[in-house]
Every structure is written in C-alpha cells, then in structure tokens.
C-alpha cells in the first residue's frame, strides 16, 4: 500500500481489500450514502464493499494523476476513518472534483478539512491541474461548510453534473492557503 501524503493527524494512502470492514462503516452508512447518490449508492455488505475496493484499486492503476481514491487513516491508531477522491465531474471532460467521505463516528473532528487540504496541496503540486471543484447538495450543510473551510469559493448552483441541484465550490492553486 502506498502512502500519498501525511498531515499532522492523518495518513492518506491507497485503499486495500483488507480495508473492507472500515470502508463499509463509511460507504455502508445510510447517513453517508444519502449524500453520495446518484453517483454512488449505499454499499449493502462486506462482499460488495470488497468488490468495490478491488474496482477502485484496479481503476487507480490507469488513472492520470491526480485522479484517484484514497483511504484516510488516523496516525494515532491506524484506523481508517474516511475516504477521499479526485475525479472528473460528468460529462468527464475537464472539471476535476475533490470529494471526502467520513464514517459518522469521525464527524466533527476536522478530519475532512485536514485530509482534503493535504490532498489539494498534493494535487496542485503535480502541476497537472490548476483548479478543483467540490459539489454538494444544498441540504448537505456539513459538506458546504467543509468546502468553505478549505478556502473554496461558492460559484453557484447547477444541475449540470449529476442532474440534481448542486452547490458548486471552486479553488484555484494560487488560492490554496
């Protein structure tokens, strides 16, 4: 497993199939999954989670940096508490999205902000992109607040990406603190 970056409290690393239990606490949680659809539904069980992790791992081998999916792990105890992703937004041509998902037990501890900020720095340092977007449903106050804490600017609401009204946030490399 490859470590991508580290922050004060977190390690951002590649997913492994051995992460299935921890990943299921994230992507199998109804509280998390309600904000993921239509791009992704709630993962129903460990076997499905393992298959999904395997697909992410395989897909990652052919993605162009900085695209990918990674696990968020606490340095203190090595627990997987969340996931991060960078990928193209629909229609999959030019706009890169950063996304974060945490298991509910890890909410409110600043992990999403810390991990996302570290990943944004890494992504911009690759020199392959100069801006990132975050999209969130208007009712997802946590995601909207995290985007603002990351220094992202609200640029409006659109249904362009997922066919649902979404709040759009953007940050450019020069704007990252």
């Amino acid at each position: 497993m490859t470590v991508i970056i580290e922050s004060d409290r977190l390690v951002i690393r590649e997913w492994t199939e051995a992460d299935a239990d921890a990943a299921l606490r994230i992507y199998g949680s109804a509280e998390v999954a309600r904000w993921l659809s239509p791009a992704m539904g709630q993962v129903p069980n460990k076997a499905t989670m393992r298959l999904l992790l395997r697909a992410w791992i395989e897909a990652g081998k052919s993605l162009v940096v900085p695209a990918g999916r990674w696990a968020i792990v606490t340095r203190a105890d090595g627990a997987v508490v969340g996931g991060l992703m960078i990928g193209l937004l629909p229609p999959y041509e030019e706009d890169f999205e950063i996304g974060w998902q945490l298991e509910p037990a890890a909410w409110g501890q600043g992990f999403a902000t810390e991990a996302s900020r570290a990943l944004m720095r890494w992504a911009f340092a690759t020199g392959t992109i100069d801006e990132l977007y975050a999209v969130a449903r208007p009712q997802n106050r946590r995601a909207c607040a995290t985007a603002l804490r990351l220094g992202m600017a609200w640029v409006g609401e659109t249904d362009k990406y997922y066919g649902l009204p979404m709040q759009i946030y953007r940050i450019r490399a020069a704007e990252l603190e």
Side-chain angles (χ1 to χ4, degrees):
M1 119 190 90
T2 302
V3 171
I4 304 300
I5 18 173
E6 296 186 36
S7 65
D8 290 341
R9 301 180 298 157
L10 305 169
V11 173
I12 312 306
R13 65 159 173 81
E14 293 177 344
W15 286 104
T16 69
E17 286 186 52
D19 294 325
D21 286 326
L24 187 60
R25 286 194 306 273
I26 303 159
Y27 301 101
S29 165
E31 294 171 280
V32 174
R34 68 184 285 214
W35 304 117
L36 299 177
S37 66
M40 181 177 166
Q42 183 177 359
V43 177
N45 55 51
K46 185 176 175 179
T48 303
M49 188 73 247
R50 188 176 287 114
L51 289 172
L52 188 55
L53 287 171
R54 190 176 303 143
W56 290 348
I57 293 164
E58 285 304 310
K61 294 174 185 176
S62 62
L63 293 175
V64 176
V65 172
R69 287 187 170 271
W70 304 275
I72 302 171
V73 180
T74 59
R75 290 175 72 144
D77 61 8
V80 174
V81 295
L84 286 170
M85 59 75 64
I86 292 179
L88 285 169
L89 281 163
Y92 310 106
E93 294 170 357
E94 62 181 331
D95 296 335
F96 278 89
E97 171 187 18
I98 184 169
W100 51 86
Q101 304 82 37
L102 294 177
E103 68 174 309
W107 291 357
Q109 299 178 50
F111 292 151
T113 302
E114 183 176 332
S116 297
R117 185 169 285 124
L119 187 63
M120 289 188 319
R121 281 192 184 106
W122 172 82
F124 289 142
T126 67
T128 56
I129 60 170
D130 62 357
E131 66 183 3
L132 282 166
Y133 291 87
V135 299
R137 292 187 189 185
Q139 305 86 352
N140 190 345
R141 292 188 193 126
R142 287 181 174 278
C144 294
T146 298
L148 293 173
R149 277 193 300 278
L150 288 167
M152 300 182 97
W154 181 77
V155 293
E157 183 173 305
T158 184
D159 62 0
K160 168 184 173 180
Y161 297 117
Y162 295 106
L164 298 170
M166 301 292 255
Q167 300 295 303
I168 309 300
Y169 299 86
R170 179 185 63 218
I171 191 164
R172 293 185 172 114
E175 300 165 344
L176 185 62
E177 298 175 4

